[in-house]
Amino acid sequence: KAGVTQTPRYLIKTRGQQVTLSCSPISGHRSVSWYQQTPGQGLQFLFEYFSETQRNKGNFPGRFSGRQFSNSRSEMNVSTLELGDSALYLCASNGDAGVALINNEQFFGPGTRLTVL
Amino acid sequence: TQLLEQSPQFLSIQEGENLTVYCNSSSVFSSLQWYRQEPGEGPVLLVTVVTGGEVKKLKRLTFQFGDARKDSSLHITAAQPGDTGLYLCAETSGTYKYIFGTGTRLKVLA
């Protein structure tokens, strides 16, 4: 069974640009979560999607957005990039059957390393 | 906002030593998970604990959930270089998101 794939793995952008990151979950998984990981703030929740619907979001500005497609693949977009957006962006796939995530296992992808210059 | 504090933040030990890392919350956990993350990879789930006082073992790793479900610990016996990594605790708030702890970065020297 293939794991979670994220593309691209590395990305360099300049301030003011926008970026789109992609995540393909494990086959059959309908829940996809996104996280931002930085040395200073740790791993922070961005948003979670299930069957194309955003069910929860973290405390990030509106420049961070996401969506999920009918095949469960997900994208996140960051507009008007700032230096502080440099981070490892992780996607996690969950076999959630539609109920709360308690006891469920998240499977993480390797992440996309975004550098903003 | 629920915060998960982990301690210590950094730990460097010799192979064969024992260690314990802690995860504490300002609120009661619904359930708690422990992950290990290695450089260049995403976190990998080690264990999930749900019941207060629960103890789970995974080879040389022992996980304990506090009776009041506000704290957890991870004990590693006879640490090996392969245990090196970032250890993260995470709590599911029950509303489709996980809250991660601040992390403990462990380095085991051969």
Side-chain angles (χ1 to χ4, degrees):
Chain A
K1 200 176 205 182
V4 178
T5 57
Q6 291 187 246
T7 56
R9 290 294 309 277
Y10 302 91
L11 205 49
I12 299 175
K13 293 285 189 178
T14 57
R15 280 181 299 174
Q17 288 187 309
Q18 73 165 19
V19 66
T20 298
L21 312 181
S22 180
C23 171
S24 292
I26 291 171
S27 178
H29 285 191
R30 292 185 291 168
S31 170
V32 174
S33 299
W34 287 91
Y35 295 86
Q36 181 195 66
Q37 187 174 32
T38 60
Q41 299 297 318
L43 213 153
Q44 292 190 294
F45 173 79
L46 280 157
F47 25 67
E48 189 264 356
Y49 287 88
F50 180 84
S51 292
E52 302 179 66
T53 300
Q54 185 184 89
R55 295 194 296 189
N56 208 336
K57 62 178 295 187
N59 297 322
F60 280 81
R63 300 185 297 105
F64 292 81
S65 63
R67 60 177 175 169
Q68 187 179 33
F69 302 95
S70 58
N71 62 358
S72 294
R73 190 177 70 85
S74 179
E75 289 181 348
M76 68 162 284
N77 182 277
V78 187
S79 62
T80 319
L81 284 166
E82 301 178 359
L83 295 178
D85 297 333
S86 294
L88 180 67
Y89 289 88
L90 291 161
C91 162
S93 151
N94 190 307
D96 171 23
V99 297
L101 295 175
I102 294 173
N103 291 336
N104 286 334
E105 178 175 357
Q106 290 190 111
F107 296 86
F108 282 85
T112 293
R113 172 76 61 185
L114 171 65
T115 301
V116 182
L117 303 176
Chain B
T1 302
Q2 183 160 8
L3 298 175
L4 293 184
E5 295 288 335
Q6 289 186 241
S7 61
Q9 193 174 357
F10 299 97
L11 196 53
S12 180
I13 61 171
Q14 294 292 324
E15 182 177 5
E17 292 184 1
N18 301 332
L19 67 116
T20 302
V21 299
Y22 301 91
C23 176
N24 294 282
S25 173
S26 56
S27 306
V28 174
F29 295 122
S30 299
S31 66
L32 190 95
Q33 297 182 328
W34 283 94
Y35 291 80
R36 179 170 65 214
Q37 183 178 19
E38 298 183 21
E41 299 180 10
V44 175
L45 179 68
L46 296 173
V47 76
T48 300
V49 286
V50 180
T51 306
E54 184 175 3
V55 177
K56 284 192 174 180
K57 292 192 175 185
L58 182 66
K59 296 183 181 178
R60 295 176 294 100
L61 279 60
T62 301
F63 304 86
Q64 189 157 4
F65 202 12
D67 291 339
R69 290 164 54 212
K70 294 179 69 174
D71 60 273
S72 181
S73 64
L74 157 60
H75 181 81
I76 301 179
T77 303
Q80 299 177 0
D83 296 325
T84 293
L86 177 66
Y87 288 82
L88 296 159
C89 60
E91 193 267 340
T92 57
S93 66
T95 53
Y96 311 119
K97 73 176 185 181
Y98 293 81
I99 299 170
F100 278 81
T102 48
T104 293
R105 193 166 296 279
L106 171 66
K107 185 167 186 177
V108 182
L109 304 170

